[in-house]
């Protein structure tokens, strides 16, 4: 996909929706001095061009009982198709991210569990039958920050 460049309205829309995906188009339109329809059309174009790939609702995991976050470095058994393994990992609800990586591990996964016993259950019971040679678990104390990539014309 070719790098895309954005005009001032595109940048305003992208910044507003990145900060809060629920920002009404009319609010963005008023800030920039255009019609709500103009913002709507721009958003549709950004979606069609695969710049905006969706919107989501962030849920505080602790508020729904998931108090432990761990990252697991995963080494696969020789001959394992990592894409197939990633698809199997996607079937485990407590695994919320999976990245195919270079370096010491083949995959890095994010696991969210209710407590340490639940984390151990997922690792022992859910991962045990998969084509995994070894794992290294790193428990997160807290997230220092999370953000989207910077959006600018450079």
């Amino acid at each position: 996909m070719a790098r895309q460049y954005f005009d001032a309205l595109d940048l305003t829309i992208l910044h507003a929706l990145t900060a809060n995906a629920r920002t009404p188009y009319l609010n963005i339109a008023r800030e920039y001095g255009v019609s709500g329809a103009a913002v709507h059309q721009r958003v549709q174009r950004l979606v069609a061009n695969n710049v905006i790939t969706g919107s989501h609702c962030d849920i505080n995991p602790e508020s729904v009982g998931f108090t432990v976050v761990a990252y697991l470095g995963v080494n696969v058994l020789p001959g394992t198709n990592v894409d197939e393994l990633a698809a199997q990992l996607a079937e485990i609800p407590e695994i919320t991210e999976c990245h195919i990586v270079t370096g010491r591990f083949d995959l890095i996964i994010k696991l969210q569990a209710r407590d340490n016993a639940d984390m151990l259950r997922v690792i022992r019971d859910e991962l045990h039958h998969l084509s995994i040679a070894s794992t290294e678990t790193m428990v997160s104390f807290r997230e220092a920050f999370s953000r989207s990539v910077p959006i600018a014309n450079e």
Side-chain angles (χ1 to χ4, degrees):
M1 173 181 221
R3 165 82 164 86
Q4 296 193 31
Y5 291 89
F6 310 104
D7 67 14
L9 180 56
D10 290 332
L11 291 171
T12 298
I13 292 168
L14 291 170
H15 287 122
L17 295 178
T18 300
N20 180 359
R22 295 177 59 189
T23 303
Y25 293 169
L26 195 53
N27 289 5
I28 299 168
R30 285 183 185 132
E31 179 182 328
Y32 197 71
V34 298
S35 71
V39 172
H40 178 75
Q41 289 173 347
R42 288 295 183 101
V43 169
Q44 294 308 309
R45 191 193 74 207
L46 291 166
V47 169
N49 289 335
N50 209 29
V51 174
I52 296 175
T53 58
S55 60
H56 65 278
C57 172
D58 290 328
I59 296 171
N60 177 350
E62 288 185 17
S63 72
V64 293
F66 290 82
T67 62
V68 175
V69 176
Y71 293 89
L72 279 73
V74 177
N75 290 309
V76 303
L77 293 172
T80 299
N81 181 316
V82 293
D83 291 319
E84 289 176 12
L85 178 58
Q88 292 171 323
L89 292 168
E91 297 297 317
I92 302 170
E94 294 86 355
I95 296 177
T96 57
E97 290 183 30
C98 177
H99 300 267
I100 299 169
V101 298
T102 64
R104 183 171 155 193
F105 301 109
D106 298 306
L107 301 164
I108 300 288
I109 61 176
K110 182 178 181 180
L111 185 153
Q112 297 191 272
R114 296 188 181 285
D115 52 33
N116 286 343
D118 190 37
M119 177 178 58
L120 184 59
R121 177 196 60 77
V122 172
I123 293 169
R124 283 190 176 165
D125 298 346
E126 303 289 334
L127 301 183
H128 176 72
H129 68 283
L130 301 177
S131 298
I132 294 175
S134 64
T135 63
E136 182 176 324
T137 304
M138 297 154 275
V139 175
S140 172
F141 293 123
R142 66 181 168 86
E143 182 177 276
F145 68 89
S146 176
R147 63 178 168 216
S148 293
V149 296
I151 305 163
N153 292 322
E154 296 177 351

